Amino acid sequence: MLQRRVTVLALLVGYACLAKAELLRGKPAVNGTVADQLAKAPHSAPGRSPKLLNASQLVVPHQLMDVSLGPFDTSSLACGACFKSFTKKGDSPAGPVAPLCLCYSMPGGKGHEMFCSTMKTAVTHVKNKKGCRCVEKDFEAMGATTCKAIE
């Protein structure tokens, strides 16, 4: 019976020490609340809202990244590179990334650039940049890879 009381007393003292340690920590000086972070977050453009990963980290987009592949001498070479690309063909287990993407070629600063996308809006984007849609093994051109204008 005495041993039980000593064990219970030891547990209570242990928990009391932990509770005091929690009280000593106090409120974090840096983090604050999520509402405070949202109020302080910069909103530089409409529609650009900050992304909260957790209560202590606030991520705000800063710039747009553009990745292009090229330049190629002709649109046919850009199309050929697109059809053989990791995005379209790929190697297991990581690829292919988007085997159903459509290949496009767009004129760039020093030549043609390839572009592969599954999005419907890509057609308008490529058309606005005076690009064309790639055709692999075009039988009208004796099986060569060609690039047809977007109508």
Side-chain angles (χ1 to χ4, degrees):
M1 182 81 168
L2 183 62
Q3 186 179 6
R4 229 186 233 172
R5 286 184 183 174
V6 170
T7 305
V8 170
L9 184 63
L11 286 173
L12 288 174
V13 169
Y15 286 127
C17 291
L18 287 176
K20 285 186 179 182
E22 287 289 325
L23 292 174
L24 289 174
R25 286 187 189 171
K27 184 179 177 183
V30 177
N31 293 338
T33 64
V34 174
D36 293 340
Q37 290 183 5
L38 283 174
K40 294 176 188 173
H43 296 283
S44 58
R48 289 186 62 186
S49 61
K51 306 273 191 276
L52 283 174
L53 296 180
N54 58 39
S56 65
Q57 187 175 12
L58 188 64
V59 178
V60 179
H62 292 287
Q63 65 186 17
L64 177 66
M65 178 182 271
D66 182 26
V67 179
S68 58
L69 183 60
F72 296 94
D73 292 336
T74 66
S75 60
S76 296
L77 289 175
C79 290
C82 181
F83 287 122
K84 295 175 186 172
S85 69
F86 185 81
T87 303
K88 189 100 171 140
K89 296 287 182 193
D91 297 322
S92 292
V97 177
L100 299 177
C101 69
L102 297 177
C103 290
Y104 301 97
S105 173
M106 298 180 293
K110 297 180 182 178
H112 293 270
E113 297 175 355
M114 65 158 264
F115 180 65
C116 194
S117 178
T118 57
M119 304 293 292
K120 287 182 179 181
T121 56
V123 177
T124 307
H125 172 72
V126 173
K127 187 177 181 179
N128 291 342
K129 297 226 177 214
K130 308 285 189 253
C132 53
R133 189 178 60 82
C134 299
V135 180
E136 188 177 32
K137 299 177 186 170
D138 187 1
F139 292 118
E140 294 177 1
M142 303 298 288
T145 301
T146 61
C147 202
K148 303 279 185 176
I150 297 172
E151 299 172 4

